Amino acid sequence: MTLNAGVAPEAIESIADRPDPTAAFVDAATLGDGFRAARERSGKSPAELAAETKVHRRFLTALEQNDWSSLPSRVFALGYVRAYASALSLDEQTAVERFKRESPDTSVPLKAPIGIAFEDVKRHSPRIVAGIAAVVVAVIGWNVFQRASLHQTAHPSDIAAVPKTWTGAADPDPQVALSAPMSAPPDQTTPALYITPGLEAELTGVDPTDPAVIAAAANPEPVQKAFNPRGAVYGASANASMVVIQAKTAGALVVRLGDGQALFARQMAPGEAWRAPIGVAATVDVSDPAAFDVFLNGEYGGPLAGVLTPLAQLNSRADQAAKALAASQARAQVQAQAAQAQAAQARTQAAATPSPAPAPSSPAPAPN
């Protein structure tokens, strides 16, 4: 019985001339090159092989590109190698052994070193340990010897005689007398600031020695406590706001525009503050008026008056306070300049008035 019955001679010749895929796989430089060459000779696409092996296409591509980092755990990678080799009619065991050689398992612990060098170290280790021990003993012995040689017995003090006043005798030296204790010196001294006479008046136009200026400085306008941010500050920038609302205790703060839209809404923590913009028509709505302080132009302006407060009212108070402060400063400057002018006029008149001539002395009586 002929085995090639029914097969055309041309087909037999083409099968005989076809290169062996196993030989091409073994002769390839790497495992991936062998898989790629075998796949190209089989005429199958990566998608077809992925459907046949039930392995994702990206893992098969990683095997062909020798990209071991893209593969999953080593157990799955070995399974993918076996499935790919079986689909390409290659020897599975040969493919697995080659994968193990080209991609060593890093999870295997290192083995103890063996060989001639390690045996030499083991043979000489007792000598090394003995040498180190001898050095340590020598260092300790040297330190003990130094301490023993420098040790001295106790001897009396070098002071030949002790004064009686030191020993608290009943008969102290009559030539020694103690005065009353003096007060301790100051911790530090600050020299008085020197001011060039007339320089401040020349630069500022205000004479610091003028009585009116001294009186104005002695009775300044009361200044309230300043705004101290103790948390996050929301709202407008510092140079675009005159009103700051700060929470003393936790409370809700909602600022609504005229159409009901919320401009700002937050549950404020103690210390947090909100800067109100200028020229915005809104209403400040708080949960507790006593929980919020108002600062006008950086100075304390008291707590909020009520649950609902128009923002325009707070901005108006701040504007009036700023104008009052500017007017007070202008009045103080005008008064100081007027007082300075009066003092200068008085000094001029005093310099222009001639001093009276001294009275002639009476002649001394003639001696008898």
Side-chain angles (χ1 to χ4, degrees), residues 55 59 71-82 99:
V55 179
F59 296 142
L71 297 174
S73 63
R74 193 169 184 82
V75 176
F76 288 98
L78 292 174
Y80 296 163
V81 171
R82 290 183 183 276
F99 175 77

Side-chain angles (χ1 to χ4, degrees), residues 122-359:
K122 291 178 61 179
R123 186 169 61 253
H124 293 91
S125 59
R127 300 179 182 177
I128 297 174
V129 173
I132 295 175
V135 172
V136 172
V137 171
V139 172
I140 295 176
W142 175 257
N143 282 274
V144 171
F145 173 75
Q146 290 292 328
R147 285 181 174 272
S149 62
L150 295 177
H151 182 70
Q152 297 179 0
T153 58
H155 58 278
S157 175
D158 294 335
I159 300 178
V162 179
K164 295 181 180 181
T165 54
W166 293 10
T167 60
D171 186 15
D173 189 354
Q175 296 181 358
V176 178
L178 299 178
S179 61
M182 300 178 64
S183 59
D187 293 339
Q188 61 181 2
T189 56
T190 302
L193 179 64
Y194 176 76
I195 301 177
T196 303
L199 179 61
E200 186 174 354
E202 182 68 23
L203 295 177
T204 63
V206 178
D207 188 3
T209 60
D210 190 6
V213 176
I214 297 175
N219 300 304
E221 293 291 335
V223 178
Q224 302 294 335
K225 65 178 181 179
F227 168 65
N228 181 21
R230 293 179 286 109
V233 181
Y234 307 96
S237 59
N239 56 358
S241 175
M242 296 187 301
V243 178
V244 178
I245 301 176
Q246 187 178 37
K248 292 190 297 185
T249 58
L253 173 64
V254 180
V255 182
R256 294 187 179 90
L257 298 175
D259 56 358
Q261 184 180 0
L263 175 64
F264 177 80
R266 184 177 177 84
Q267 180 69 24
M268 304 291 282
E272 293 184 341
W274 177 73
R275 288 196 182 100
I278 301 175
V280 175
T283 302
V284 179
D285 186 358
V286 295
S287 58
D288 183 11
F292 293 89
D293 287 334
V294 178
F295 291 86
L296 306 176
N297 302 316
E299 294 186 7
Y300 179 66
L304 283 174
V307 177
L308 298 177
T309 306
L311 185 57
Q313 179 181 354
L314 299 178
N315 284 326
S316 177
R317 286 178 54 191
D319 185 55
Q320 292 176 2
K323 290 180 179 179
L325 178 61
S328 175
Q329 293 177 350
R331 286 195 303 270
Q333 185 176 4
V334 170
Q335 292 176 0
Q337 291 177 353
Q340 184 178 5
Q342 292 177 1
Q345 184 178 4
R347 288 194 297 270
T348 304
Q349 292 178 355
T353 302
S355 58

